[in-house]
Amino acid sequence: MENIMRFRHNAMQVNSLSAFMGMKGGVRQNCKDVYFVRLIGTNATLMSDIRQMDYRMTERMEQRQDLIYRRINCLPAPGSTADAAYYERCYQAFLDAHKQTASSKTLKGDASYARLLASGLQTALKLYKTERPQMSASMEKNFVVKMLFWQDALLSDIMTCWHEQLSVKLVLSNITKQQEYFFAYLLTLLGCDVLLLQSGTDISPKEDALNLSQKVKNGSFQQIVIPEYNKAEILTEIRQSSCPSGNALHSGAQAVSQNVRFSAAGTSTDTSGPIVLKIPPRPGSSKAAGSSASSISPGRPVSAVKPSFTAAPCPAATAKPSASHDRAVSGSYPVEKNFEELAQLASSVVLIAIHNQNGDVIGTGSGIMIGRDGYILTNNHVASGGKYYSVRIEDDETTYSTDELIKYHSTLDLAIIRINRMLRPLPVYKGAKSLVRGQKVVAIGSPLGLFNSVSDGIISGFRKIDGVDMIQFTAPISRGSSGGAVLNMYGEVIGMSTAGIDSGQNINLAMGYECINRFISGFV
């Protein structure tokens, strides 16, 4: 019999709705990371934050087949007498199987999930018995019946597509009763991430002392009416929107989506058709990686590993961070920087190697430090398809290995990975002034695996590609530059290198700062 999936709860701190949306628990060695969080109290932005969460998660469900999201204001009351009799028979079958498998009305034929459900029920029952030492057989039966009924009510569609990589995010409001709280915990033992919106009240101190969930203070308790989640209504809004991201970066952006297409392949000599946008493939292969890269184990730092795709950095790139870099990190910009000073900011741009399940390097790309707690921004086309990643940082002999893909968005081509190291993030431009054509920029990335190469150019235009606003710039980039930083002369990230046009020279595209700021909210 195969091993039952194990779960690690709250591996990282979640301090906002946005952070909860972005967390995606990885699965390694039959263990999955799940999140169980209570947001305590309310504040002035809670309602708008909930609305944004509903919108963004619904949008992502439309784009991804491995994500399910729902928000429930109230757990349903038990059904009819016939339903009660049915779930009582399920409880008896649970006992007859020595509590090793469980069944329900909607669970049919999935042996793995049946064992997982039984294991979760046993854990929840143990907690319930600890709280009620004198629990009778009848009380145990009623508890299991209620758990099975609620599980069917919330997860009926999941039964038909469940697998270990499925990301399920459930939001429940004002859970106070003991059985409801233990059911929320049971959901995490089925692989779901659960957020409790405790706006008006919270669980008892006794349940809080069990330390099952992470508590995040959001404000004082208030009796507010949280609107119901209406998926159909939100989908209608999304489909009527002209831009998948919900906002445009530049009101004057030229629409060229009819004449431009993305391609992950090489160059094209056909100029009669639409312009081909090249999303630079990640260079590298299992042959190039050698034995040193394939020996990296995910999830821990590896010392003194230097994969063969890494070229020796130039002296300017390896210089120690200067006071200019400290000003960039702190957000103070008294004067424009010169190119030498901007080049030193390469210490906050990383080289990412993508590994397959055998540990072979299947490509490389670049990434930007955006959060001190190990968060790195890159392109989704860099991160997608990898089993895990190894990250190189200037002036650091350690290669950091991770399988934590925290968040991604296929339309915006953005992703966040995380390593176990404190970082010095680059500031992202906040838009004090509009970007203009002719404005000087510096690009930092690792083209062809050449670690943290620096190039300069100008903004040459603003383009709308498939409904997404992008910055066109002339600083040269090549394969492997994807995910690198495009900086203004103050050392702020105004964009991230994303694509190039095959048939042109130095016609490159970057995802702009506005989409980046929205995407990284909660991680900075």
Side-chain angles (χ1 to χ4, degrees):
M1 180 181 294
E2 64 183 87
N3 293 330
I4 296 173
M5 178 75 66
R6 295 176 294 110
F7 297 98
R8 181 175 67 161
H9 285 74
N10 301 323
M12 289 189 295
Q13 181 73 22
V14 175
N15 53 19
S16 66
L17 293 182
S18 178
F20 176 78
M21 286 189 285
M23 292 299 182
K24 183 179 187 298
V27 180
R28 186 172 66 251
Q29 297 178 347
N30 210 44
C31 181
K32 181 175 183 177
D33 287 341
V34 293
Y35 292 88
F36 188 20
V37 182
R38 298 186 347 259
L39 193 66
I40 308 298
T42 185
N43 59 27
T45 65
L46 179 63
M47 300 301 279
S48 62
D49 290 344
I50 292 173
R51 172 63 177 168
Q52 184 182 46
M53 176 175 64
D54 287 348
Y55 189 98
R56 296 303 181 198
M57 296 304 293
T58 305
E59 185 180 41
R60 291 176 196 172
M61 275 196 294
E62 286 294 281
Q63 298 164 354
R64 292 171 44 183
Q65 299 301 312
D66 63 343
L67 171 66
I68 293 177
Y69 166 78
R70 60 192 45 143
R71 183 170 58 79
I72 307 295
N73 278 359
C74 182
L75 289 173
S80 63
T81 303
D83 280 341
Y86 183 92
Y87 287 109
E88 287 177 6
R89 291 194 295 272
C90 290
Y91 170 70
Q92 186 59 51
F94 177 57
L95 295 181
D96 293 343
H98 305 289
K99 298 183 179 179
Q100 298 303 302
T101 62
S103 62
S104 69
K105 184 173 288 188
T106 58
L107 174 58
K108 301 181 187 301
D110 192 325
S112 297
Y113 189 89
R115 289 192 293 272
L116 187 67
L117 176 58
S119 176
L121 285 172
Q122 287 189 65
T123 301
L125 263 175
K126 185 177 180 180
L127 284 170
Y128 195 51
K129 287 179 179 179
T130 300
E131 296 295 295
R132 296 171 180 263
Q134 306 303 318
M135 186 171 67
S136 65
S138 177
M139 291 172 64
E140 176 181 304
K141 178 187 70 175
N142 291 337
F143 178 81
V144 173
V145 164
K146 189 169 287 187
M147 297 298 109
L148 292 173
F149 171 75
W150 279 335
Q151 182 240 203
D152 277 354
L154 267 66
L155 306 181
S156 59
D157 54 339
I158 296 174
M159 310 295 179
T160 62
C161 63
W162 183 87
H163 55 87
E164 63 181 20
Q165 298 288 348
L166 184 66
S167 179
V168 182
K169 292 191 175 292
L170 303 173
V171 181
L172 308 176
S173 298
N174 293 315
I175 295 297
T176 58
K177 296 179 181 178
Q178 188 180 70
Q179 289 189 1
E180 293 178 339
Y181 185 58
F182 287 158
F183 172 69
Y185 182 64
L186 170 63
L187 292 172
T188 69
L189 301 177
L190 301 176
C192 305
D193 295 327
V194 178
L195 174 67
L196 304 184
L197 295 176
Q198 306 291 77
S199 59
T201 187
D202 194 20
I203 57 176
S204 72
K206 194 174 183 180
E207 273 79 60
D208 186 25
L210 295 172
N211 293 318
L212 301 178
S213 58
Q214 181 185 131
K215 181 164 61 174
V216 179
K217 185 68 175 177
N218 190 49
S220 58
F221 287 124
Q222 295 183 35
Q223 298 302 319
I224 61 173
V225 178
I226 299 177
E228 297 286 343
Y229 170 58
N230 190 325
K231 179 180 177 181
E233 181 181 289
I234 294 172
L235 281 175
T236 299
E237 290 184 28
I238 291 173
R239 289 163 182 164
Q240 290 175 348
S241 172
S242 60
C243 176
S245 62
N247 291 284
L249 293 182
H250 308 281
S251 59
Q254 179 182 351
V256 295
S257 58
Q258 298 301 315
N259 298 312
V260 182
R261 63 184 176 89
F262 282 97
S263 171
T267 59
S268 171
T269 58
D270 179 12
T271 59
S272 60
I275 297 172
V276 177
L277 284 181
K278 175 182 61 182
I279 297 179
R282 304 175 298 231
S285 65
S286 57
K287 292 181 180 179
S291 59
S292 62
S294 61
S295 65
I296 297 174
S297 299
R300 63 180 180 86
V302 182
S303 299
V305 177
K306 294 186 177 181
S308 60
F309 54 78
T310 304
C314 62
T318 57
K320 295 291 184 182
S322 67
S324 299
H325 184 282
D326 294 333
R327 288 197 301 270
V329 172
S330 66
S332 175
Y333 310 99
V335 293
E336 290 188 356
K337 293 174 171 58
N338 58 38
F339 289 119
E340 290 83 358
E341 290 176 310
L342 289 170
Q344 293 181 29
L345 300 182
S347 59
S348 291
V349 180
V350 305
L351 172 64
I352 302 172
I354 300 90
H355 298 259
N356 63 18
Q357 59 185 3
N358 299 320
D360 300 325
V361 175
I362 58 175
T364 65
S366 305
I368 307 168
M369 298 180 185
I370 50 96
R372 292 186 181 276
D373 294 329
Y375 296 110
I376 296 169
L377 177 71
T378 187
N379 282 126
N380 181 56
H381 76 261
V382 170
S384 62
K387 189 68 174 179
Y388 67 97
Y389 319 93
S390 54
V391 175
R392 287 289 312 282
I393 300 172
E394 281 191 5
D395 302 321
D396 189 337
E397 291 299 313
T398 300
T399 296
Y400 295 89
S401 181
T402 180
D403 63 356
E404 293 188 57
L405 176 58
I406 302 298
K407 178 180 183 180
Y408 66 87
H409 194 297
S410 56
T411 301
L412 300 180
D413 197 16
L414 297 175
I416 295 174
I417 65 173
R418 181 183 178 275
I419 63 173
N420 186 26
R421 184 190 192 273
M422 293 298 291
L423 303 178
R424 302 181 69 189
L426 286 172
V428 180
Y429 187 55
K430 299 301 183 184
K433 294 182 180 179
S434 298
L435 304 181
V436 296
R437 285 182 298 180
Q439 181 174 335
K440 292 180 182 180
V441 296
V442 166
I444 304 175
S446 298
L448 305 179
L450 298 174
F451 194 11
N452 279 356
S453 299
V454 179
S455 60
D456 69 298
I458 62 169
I459 293 176
S460 50
F462 304 101
R463 310 298 173 195
K464 186 181 287 290
I465 310 299
D466 291 337
V468 178
D469 294 283
M470 305 190 80
I471 300 168
Q472 181 186 335
F473 65 100
T474 64
I477 62 172
S478 299
R479 301 179 180 185
S481 297
S482 292
V486 180
L487 307 174
N488 62 16
M489 297 304 290
Y490 296 96
E492 299 167 305
V493 176
I494 61 168
M496 185 174 68
S497 299
T498 299
I501 294 182
D502 282 326
S503 56
Q505 292 184 339
N506 293 339
I507 303 177
N508 305 310
L509 295 168
M511 181 57 64
Y513 66 89
E514 289 193 3
C515 278
I516 290 174
N517 275 318
R518 289 195 298 271
F519 186 76
I520 68 176
S521 174
F523 297 93
V524 178

